[in-house]
Each structure stands twice: as structure tokens, then as C-alpha cells.
Amino acid sequence: MHHRYDVLVVGAGGAGLMASLYAAKSKNVSVAVISKLYPTRSHTGAAQGGVGAALGNVNEDHWEWHMFDTIKGGDYLTDQDAAEIFSKDVIEAVYELEHMGLPFSRLPNGKIAQRKFGGHTKEYGKSAVERACYAVDRTGHMILQTLYQQNVKAGTTFYNEFQVLDLIIEDSVCKGVIALELSSGEIHTFHAKSVILATGGYGRVFKITSNALSLTGDLMSIYYRKGLPLEDLEFYQFHPTGLAKLGILITEGARGEGGILRNDSGERFMERYAPTIKDLAPRDMVSRSIYREIREGRGVGKEKDAIMLDLTHLPKDIIESRLPDITDFARTYLGVDPVKELVPIQPTAHYAMGGVPTTIDGEALASEDGTLVRGLYAAGEVACVSLHGANRLGTNSLGDLIVFGRRAGLAAAKYAQKAEFETLPNNPEAYSKGLIERLRNGSGTDNVAKIRKELQDSMMMNVGIFRNGKDMEAQVQIVKELQARYKNVSVTDPTARYNTELVEALELGFLLDIAEAMTASALNRKESRGAHDREDFTERNDTEWLKHTMAYRDFNNPGNVILKYKPVVLKGETLHFVPKPRVY
Amino acid sequence: MKVNVKVQRFNPEKDKKPSWQSFAVECEPGDRVLDLLNHIKWYMDSTLTYRRSCAHGICGSDAMLINGRNRLACKILVKDLTKDGGTITVEPIRGLKVERDLLVDMEPFFDAYRAVMPFFINDDPAPAGERLQSVEDRAIFDEGTKCILCACCTTSCPIFWVNGRYLGPASIVQAHRFIFDSRDKGSDQRLKVLNQNTGVWRCRTAYNCTEACPREIPITELIEEVKRAVLYQKV
């Protein structure tokens, strides 16, 4: 099957749905969205705590403070032009969501409610500030629902349950997308003037993750397979509070409402690590502090590998009215009632700061010197506009979706208005058909689930919260071995319709690519910054490493990666913040 | 512990009708039913087909009939269903066409959703900041905002089984969420849709929907509120 759209959005989470709405608002532009799930199943729906914007509804707040917090939180790897646009635009974007009907929680005066969150401060670090606009503890769910509703209203065309197999890119021009329709097993060609990638992250490369089973880095991998670079993959965020063993997210809003982390002796240990804002320090610092406690023998549980989140001092009605979903998770999965008992938590793989490099308008970058892949855009977690730098602040992912999803949608539509449809190559489906043929007709017997599990276990051990050269060198070899074994994988299910075995085999291929690029990027960065924490290079080194990694596949040496670098943008349009030591 | 997972299988490319297949699965009492299905798919029979994504009860992909009740496979634990050596039966949700094994055609469900105009309607110029809403007004429609569109409610409704054109509880919940939102001005249009013979009057208050909802939304109560709104054509 062959389709033609001016703008094609891949992915139907917050960024994709915002992009499609804005592309559709532009004149004379046809828009469609393809997604491997039903849009309402997208992982934006799992976000809980809030979207940060300096509305100042509870206490005085300014976009300049938000910009500073974002840059400092990102350990100065944040591009400051992106941070300035973001912290200004997110205010208007939040109001816009409200105008779309999003049911924010409210203050007694009728305004949008706001609460505290990690790393958000007033007066450039003096004390915590209420910046997270929230809708109970299902803010992401409400954003996803609202944006889907608005797309229904706008009559957006959706292709649900389509697995993307390939991007058609020739001579640095993107011409479309090849995808597998899961319900029929048929391969479709989507011919487009511009394509927006919005497919989210790849948490499933790790053993313990808050991410959905579907988050396997598909479009990052496909981009990388084209010989194009992935930016800053070494920066991967572990959220401090995942439910022990399960990794299910417990929002930072729980600490924003006054929750406290305690070790085995009941000590509030964050006082030692971040004396000013304590439990509301940024995620990288809290995650590391938790692991230090565990490593030094102060963990709890059978294996002493968890830490306790204490909400018991909060009034029952606050817990049940502002945190009902996470209360339900603790009760359902651990049989623990947060009203009366402490909740065992562990850091959980949560968010990719890196991804497809883009300009502030979401244009995909083909290299470190700023050349573009014309007609290709990216927004949300799949993208790296480098708003989050080395560590994302809580609530800034939802803000990122709406601000940069909108910018990408507008830019892609504007481009499509002027561009012509490019001629497709002969037989554009050839690569995709070959990919599937290989998996379907392979004679190998290795098992997808076993390889995936070995990948997830080893990435967690070797490229997790604490890193060192020796472990990561070992991981490079492990990934190469797993890639070799992946060649012996074959799909045994011959059925065309809903062949989910085939999908999982494809996804494993994507994950292995990401692991390759990520491990190499992390191994080469010889410093500690944000989420990238090295035991053999413990200090941040601005002289040598205040720069973004650009990782390219080395086609001449399979399994190897070519690393290049580009400078961090150190000033915004009007403000700039000089890198300083990061203390809270 | 070990449990026997009895799964309904159906592959229209080779089967004329559904059949049952059993798998003996080693598991922990705290495992989710989704963990059992994943174990079967990954290590025992790769052809087993179902939807899943978030695995913790908020995306709504894995609604299925487990031990005779509609639930999310990721939100029900083994220990809450059976003991060591027991049996867990898993079937597709009812009233929608089975595409393969536990996976059903969701299109009619989303068609019904779209029919009730499940989006905010207010054509007045928006203010510079937010439209104000009191805490109390926000609370009136809170329950409906929890809906994850998993279809557990609609596919547990006997009326829906008999007449697939009934909009069903999930759609009415979605309509309720907007009808009772103090900022919305589209209620008249929605109430007209809900007053048609596919609308709220089909509901016979069987409470199956409320019992099935994995998000504990008091669905029957919300449907009653919508019925009253239709009757008096006002909110």
C-alpha cells in the first residue's frame, strides 16, 4: 500500500499529538499520524507529577529562574538557547492546554494548582518553589487524553498499530517512512514531504525501568542505521523512586508534597548530600545518593537493596487526593499502604536525555557542523534539542513535549508548504522486506527473550548509575556478542496478522543498536556530569568535556562507533549562565 | 509456586473456532498475570498473541477476561487469583471481534468513543491566563478523567453483548467528563447523541461496568447522572 501526506508524524504520545495538531492548523497541509500503539496507550500517559511552568500561582516565579534551574539541573550541558525558549514558551503552552480543556487540579482561587518538584528553585537556587502544574498524579495521562481528544476534534488521520521499519532518506533528504501494518502483516510506504519523529525513549535497554514494554528506541536506531548521529546517549536518567523490584514510577510529586527518603536506621539521608533542598535535589543526585546508602550497607529489604519513601507523616487526605494513583500502585503491587507504611523504592531507568539531534525548531541534524536532514524533524524523548543536558529536571519532559512538539509541527508544516514531493527510490520497501525475510526465514534458533534479558541485565550492571572504564569496555564486547547471536534469531510464527513475535524480534535489533551507541558514548566521556557518573573520572571537566557527543555507526568496523563532538550553546537570546559547580 | 494457565487460542489464518491450551508456569505469588503471559510467549509458545504496553495499569492495552472477570492482566496478581497448583483462565474480552488469541478489534469501541464528541467545546475567546475553575467544580467530573479506555466496562455489559451499537459505559463516562466540566459549552450536542436509541437509555443498571473498572470509577453512578442530565436537558 502507498500513501501520500504533506506531513507525517511518527508516534502518538504528547510530542507527536502536539505536532500533528499544529501541523494541521497550517494551511493546505495534509497530516497523518502513525503509531505502533493506539494513541491513548502512549507512554506520556504514565507521567504523573506535573508540568513545570513559571506561572507563579502559589509563589513568585519567573521564567528566568526556570531557565537557570534547567541549565544547572542539566549540569551546564543544556543548550541555553533551547532552555530560554522553553522556559518562556512553556507558560503559554500550559495555558493553552488548559484552554483545550485539560483538567488541572485547582487552587482555592480557581487557578491551576502548582507544587514543588526536584531542582526547581526561586532566586537562582535559594529554596524550593511551586512550579509543577499538576492534574492529581496523572498529569501525563491528562495531557495525552486532552491532545488525543483535540486530534479527534480536528479529524486527524491515524494509522494505529503500524511498526516503522525504515526511513527513506537519500542525499540528506527525508522522503517518507516504511511501516508494517500489524493487523494485516502488510508493508506500507508513506510518501511525505516532511516527517516528524516522536516515538519516545528506550528504557527497555535496562533491566529495571519505569518504561513501557514498547519503549525500544525504534526510530533512534533507524536514524543511526542511516549513518546519522545520535547525540548525548551517555546521559540516561535513573528516576530515584521506582517501586522496588518492579521499577514502576512513584512520582517526584510525592516528595514535592513532603515525602522523605529514609535508610535502614530511619535517617533522612538526603540532608547529608543536598543540605539546602534535601529530598528535592535533582534526580541524578538523589539516585546516586540512594545507591551510596545501599552500597554502604544502609539499604532495606531482604537483599538490603532498597530505600524507604516515607509519606506517613502527611495527612491521609493529602495522600489520597493528590497522590491516589501511586497509592494504588503501592497497594496493588507491593501490598503496602503509603498512608501507614513506608514504601520500598529503588532507582529505575527512566528517561533518555540524548537522541536524534535537532535544532530549536526540531529539524534533524545530520552532523556536528549543523547540516540538516531536510524534511525530517524530531521532538520529545526521541529527540535531543539538548534542553535537558546531562540531567533532566522533573516536569521538564511534559514541558518539552508541548513546547518542542508544537515547534516541530509548525516547522514541518511550513517546510511542506513550500516543498515538492521528492521522487522515491525504486523499490523503497526493499530494505524493510529484507529485514523481515531474514527474521522469518532464518534457520537460527537463538531466542529473542534470552538475548534481550542478557542485554538488559548487562546494561544495568555496566552502563547504569555508576560507571567505569573497565565495566564499559566489557559491555562493548558483550553487546558485540549479543549482536552476533541476534543474527541467529528467527521468528517461528508464520502468521501474517498481529505477528507480535516478529515485532519483538525487530525491537531487539533496535535495542542492540542503541546499546552499542550508548556504551561507546559513555566509555569515551572521561568525566562525571549529571547522570553520567564515572568512578574512574569523578570530577566534571569543563575544559575538555563541555561538549555534546555525536555517535555514528562505523560501517567499516561492525560493532564500533565513530565519536565526534560539538560545542554546547552557552547563551540564550537574552541571558546566559556561566558554568559553576553544582551544589544544592 | 506453579500454576496452570489456561488460555483461549484462536488464529483465524488456521482455526475455524477457538480452542483452549494449558501451560504450566513457574511463578511468584506477586507476579502479574501479564508476567505469566510474557513468560509463555518468550519461553514456551512464541505465537501467543495479546496487547500490552505499560505493564502497570495506566495504558489500558491488556484488558482481558481473567477467571471470568474483565481485568487488566498487568493489574491482577497471581496470589489474588489462585494458590500453588491452581488454574488461571484467560480469554479475550467479549463483544468485540477476536483478531487473534486475546487480541480483539478495538475499532467499534473507539467509534463509540468518537460519537459522543469526547473533546472540550467552548468557542468563547480564551483569556490570557487560565479559565478559572473552583476546586469543587473540578471535583464533580474527576472520576471520569481516570478512564484509560481499556474497554473493561463496555465489554462486560450484557446490553453491549446483545447490541453492539449501544455506545456503552466507556463512551458515556467520556461524555460525562465534559458534560459536567464547568468550562465546557458543548453539553446540548452531546446530550442529543446520548438521548438516541443507542445512548444512555439502553443501560439497565446491571453494575457489571462498575465492577469491571480497573480504575474504580463509579461508572453506573456517572451513567445515572448523565441520564438525569438528558431527562432535564441541562446540567
Side-chain angles (χ1 to χ4, degrees), chain A residues 57-106:
Chain A
N57 282 357
V58 177
N59 265 315
E60 184 185 351
D61 201 3
H62 299 281
W63 69 261
E64 292 90 342
W65 298 352
H66 191 184
M67 177 180 172
F68 170 75
D69 287 340
T70 301
I71 292 162
K72 180 180 171 186
D75 221 346
Y76 294 92
L77 197 76
T78 296
D79 280 343
Q80 299 198 10
D81 53 347
E84 179 163 338
I85 283 171
F86 168 75
S87 41
K88 285 179 189 167
D89 281 10
V90 75
I91 296 171
E92 184 208 334
V94 164
Y95 288 135
E96 189 184 15
L97 287 176
E98 199 280 336
H99 298 157
M100 290 177 182
L102 193 139
F104 282 108
S105 295
R106 299 285 170 160

Side-chain angles (χ1 to χ4, degrees), chain A residues 38 41 98-99 101 106 112 141 149 153 161 213-214 325 328 333 452 492-493 495 497 500 504, chain B residues 11 13 41-42 46 51 53 59 74-75 99-100 107 118 120 129-131 145 149 177 183 215:
Chain A
Y38 273 90
R41 315 306 194 211
E98 199 280 336
H99 298 157
R106 299 285 170 160
I112 294 170
H141 166 83
Q149 290 155 3
K153 190 178 184 181
E161 302 194 318
L213 287 146
S214 53
D325 276 15
D328 181 31
Y333 296 107
R452 187 174 54 217
T492 54
D493 183 356
T495 313
R497 13 187 327 137
T500 49
E504 289 196 19
Chain B
N11 181 348
E13 288 181 25
K41 179 166 189 68
W42 295 345
S46 61
R51 286 192 181 93
S53 189
C59 84
C74 62
K75 226 191 152 178
E99 295 284 350
R100 208 182 152 179
E107 289 302 325
F120 187 73
E130 61 269 66
R131 288 193 166 94
T145 68
L149 297 166
R177 176 251 171 278
R183 302 165 300 166
R215 304 280 293 158

Side-chain angles (χ1 to χ4, degrees), chain A residues 23 53 82 92 100 114 206 214 238 260 275 283 291 293 301 326 356 359 378 413 421 433 453 514 517 544 549 561:
Chain A
E92 184 208 334
M100 290 177 182
Q114 295 188 275
F206 293 105
S214 53
F238 282 74
I260 292 168
R283 291 175 176 179
Y291 265 118
E293 292 298 303
I326 63 152
V356 172
T359 67
F421 280 98
K433 283 187 172 152
K453 183 169 186 308
I514 301 290
E544 288 172 83
T549 304
V561 181

Side-chain angles (χ1 to χ4, degrees), chain A residues 231-343:
Chain A
E231 181 174 351
D232 289 345
L233 283 200
E234 64 269 44
F235 297 103
Y236 194 91
Q237 177 167 82
F238 282 74
H239 191 293
T241 58
L243 277 189
K245 312 280 182 215
L246 289 152
I248 294 169
L249 190 65
I250 295 296
T251 174
E252 200 166 293
R255 280 171 287 138
E257 296 291 352
I260 292 168
L261 296 167
R262 298 190 188 281
N263 61 19
D264 66 336
S265 61
E267 182 204 4
R268 183 182 196 179
F269 58 86
M270 282 311 299
E271 284 178 338
R272 277 189 275 122
Y273 300 102
T276 313
I277 54 175
K278 304 183 181 81
D279 301 275
L280 285 172
R283 291 175 176 179
D284 56 335
M285 300 177 83
V286 181
S287 292
R288 270 196 297 280
S289 306
I290 290 171
Y291 265 118
R292 296 235 153 85
E293 292 298 303
I294 290 170
R295 279 188 171 195
E296 289 165 18
R298 293 190 290 278
V300 300
K302 235 187 263 171
E303 290 156 45
K304 294 184 88 52
D305 60 353
I307 281 293
M308 290 297 196
L309 173 64
D310 182 1
L311 301 172
T312 57
H313 55 288
L314 300 177
K316 184 171 189 255
D317 65 304
I318 292 281
I319 298 178
E320 292 192 335
S321 66
R322 295 193 195 162
L323 305 164
D325 276 15
I326 63 152
T327 304
D328 181 31
F329 296 154
R331 286 172 183 158
T332 302
Y333 296 107
L334 299 181
V336 167
D337 184 354
V339 174
K340 292 179 248 160
E341 300 160 274
L342 310 193
V343 183

Side-chain angles (χ1 to χ4, degrees), chain B residues 14-43:
Chain B
K14 60 187 184 73
D15 302 330
K16 285 216 162 59
K17 57 182 180 113
S19 60
W20 291 95
Q21 191 178 2
S22 288
F23 300 90
V25 182
E26 199 67 52
C27 62
E28 298 290 328
D31 281 348
R32 300 161 281 204
V33 170
L34 179 62
D35 295 319
L36 306 185
L37 296 175
N38 285 340
H39 183 85
I40 295 168
K41 179 166 189 68
W42 295 345
Y43 303 108

Side-chain angles (χ1 to χ4, degrees), chain B residues 9-130:
Chain B
R9 304 297 305 268
F10 177 63
N11 181 348
E13 288 181 25
K14 60 187 184 73
D15 302 330
K16 285 216 162 59
K17 57 182 180 113
S19 60
W20 291 95
Q21 191 178 2
S22 288
F23 300 90
V25 182
E26 199 67 52
C27 62
E28 298 290 328
D31 281 348
R32 300 161 281 204
V33 170
L34 179 62
D35 295 319
L36 306 185
L37 296 175
N38 285 340
H39 183 85
I40 295 168
K41 179 166 189 68
W42 295 345
Y43 303 108
M44 299 168 91
D45 182 347
S46 61
T47 65
L48 182 65
T49 305
Y50 48 94
R51 286 192 181 93
R52 83 289 179 279
S53 189
C54 79
H56 67 285
I58 48 90
C59 84
S61 298
D62 60 357
M64 44 190 86
L65 198 61
I66 298 169
N67 281 4
R69 276 180 56 186
N70 273 7
R71 324 184 208 226
L72 301 178
C74 62
K75 226 191 152 178
I76 183 79
L77 308 185
V78 172
K79 67 178 164 67
D80 297 323
L81 290 169
T82 189
K83 294 192 175 71
D84 190 17
T87 296
I88 295 173
T89 62
V90 186
E91 303 160 69
I93 45 177
R94 289 184 180 144
L96 294 167
K97 185 177 154 237
V98 179
E99 295 284 350
R100 208 182 152 179
D101 295 342
L102 303 167
L103 189 151
V104 300
D105 179 11
M106 294 295 291
E107 289 302 325
F109 175 81
F110 280 101
D111 283 344
Y113 165 79
R114 286 185 284 265
V116 300
M117 291 180 274
F119 39 75
F120 187 73
I121 299 173
N122 183 336
D123 296 330
D124 297 347
E130 61 269 66

Side-chain angles (χ1 to χ4, degrees), chain B residues 200-217:
Chain B
V200 284
W201 305 115
R202 293 260 165 200
C203 169
R204 292 290 182 275
T205 329
Y207 280 96
N208 284 23
C209 52
T210 302
E211 282 167 22
C213 179
R215 304 280 293 158
E216 292 173 1
I217 302 169

